[in-house]
Amino acid sequence: YMYLPSALIYHDLKKVAFFPEIEKKYNPGPGMGQAFKHEASGNYVMKYSCGQAFQFLPWFTVANAVAEPLGYPADGFSRPYQVAIGLGSLLIAILGLWFARKNLLEYFSDKATALALLGMVAGSNYLNYTAIDGAMTHNWLFTLYALLVWTTIQFNKRPTWARACVIGLLCGWAALTRPTEAISILIPLLWGGWEGRLAFLWREKSKIILAGVVFAAVGSIQLLYWKWATGDWVVYS
């Protein structure tokens, strides 16, 4: 989240000099847990990759627009920002369940799908990451994966350039949110098993290449940030 107020309100993404005052006022701590000081450059580097910041951006924008009219400081941390991120996270979680349902209905009955969704929400940490820790990456990534599975199913039914582009975007966005999610590329590559898969991929190779280019372009945003902030293309954060 620190990417957003640092870049869009304080215009200080390298030094984060505004944070001590914010920490004193709101105590979001403990300490500067979102960034660390890069020894070679002397600049602060965000600890987490920036994909989640892009997902927060619409909700942050709304909060930034209404904060002062509602009588709150437009400082990135006051109550409107907290409420916007909380509600946005809840809506995204519900959207993920909706697409998960669409995916399951491709293969299972409505009753089986309902039971699966109920079991997942009530029997896993999904409820926690919706009702309490919604601003963490977990449910946002769940929704990205649900969208990726749905787009992959549609691409296998009717391969189009637009769907290939969306697949690349979703895989890149997942990796930009948490780098280990680069493994998401296996979903569109392996969906449906091996029988006839290689022939399908070869037949649609131009669209697969497009998806790969979009994936790389989205993922490169983090590399560009690291280069800008530190002079190094890759920073172990």
Side-chain angles (χ1 to χ4, degrees):
Y1 178 76
M2 282 287 288
Y3 284 97
L4 298 178
S6 299
L8 301 178
I9 295 178
Y10 302 99
H11 311 292
D12 183 18
L13 199 52
K14 287 184 177 180
K15 300 301 181 183
V16 201
F18 65 89
F19 185 75
E21 187 64 29
I22 291 296
E23 183 179 30
K24 182 180 178 181
K25 185 174 183 180
Y26 295 103
N27 192 30
M32 174 52 84
Q34 294 284 313
F36 70 97
K37 196 166 187 177
H38 186 255
E39 291 185 5
S41 67
N43 295 328
Y44 275 89
V45 180
M46 295 300 163
K47 180 179 178 181
Y48 302 103
S49 50
C50 61
Q52 186 78 339
F54 285 106
Q55 296 183 98
F56 284 152
L57 181 57
W59 319 104
F60 173 89
T61 302
V62 171
N64 204 47
V66 304
E68 288 187 342
L70 292 177
Y72 294 91
D75 59 7
F77 295 87
S78 60
R79 184 57 59 86
Y81 298 91
Q82 299 173 35
V83 172
I85 296 301
L87 290 179
S89 300
L90 179 61
L91 290 172
I92 290 297
I94 294 171
L95 181 67
L97 287 177
W98 190 70
F99 271 97
R101 179 178 183 273
K102 288 172 68 70
N103 295 332
L104 289 167
L105 287 174
E106 291 280 338
Y107 306 100
F108 305 102
S109 68
D110 188 64
K111 182 179 179 180
T113 295
L115 289 172
L117 293 175
L118 178 63
M120 182 183 67
V121 172
S124 76
N125 58 4
Y126 192 91
L127 187 59
N128 170 70
Y129 284 118
T130 300
I132 301 172
D133 294 323
M136 296 183 74
T137 61
H138 300 68
N139 279 355
W140 297 78
L141 282 167
F142 178 88
T143 297
L144 285 178
Y145 271 97
L147 286 166
L148 176 60
V149 169
W150 184 79
T151 307
T152 298
I153 291 172
Q154 304 311 311
F155 182 81
N156 279 271
K157 290 179 179 179
R158 186 167 66 89
T160 66
W161 293 98
R163 287 170 178 168
C165 189
V166 172
I167 285 173
L169 173 65
L170 292 170
C171 290
W173 203 337
L176 194 63
T177 301
R178 193 162 56 187
T180 51
E181 305 306 329
I183 197 173
S184 62
I185 63 174
L186 296 179
I187 291 176
L189 288 177
L190 303 181
W191 192 266
W194 280 112
E195 185 176 354
R197 192 64 188 163
L198 292 178
F200 174 82
L201 294 175
W202 180 253
R203 187 172 67 250
E204 304 297 337
K205 58 183 179 295
S206 57
K207 298 182 181 70
I208 303 301
I209 291 172
L210 172 64
V213 169
V214 174
F215 170 80
V218 174
S220 70
I221 294 173
Q222 190 64 37
L223 304 181
L224 292 171
Y225 162 71
W226 281 330
K227 182 66 174 176
W228 172 79
T230 71
D232 296 329
W233 284 106
V234 176
V235 175
Y236 183 70
S237 62

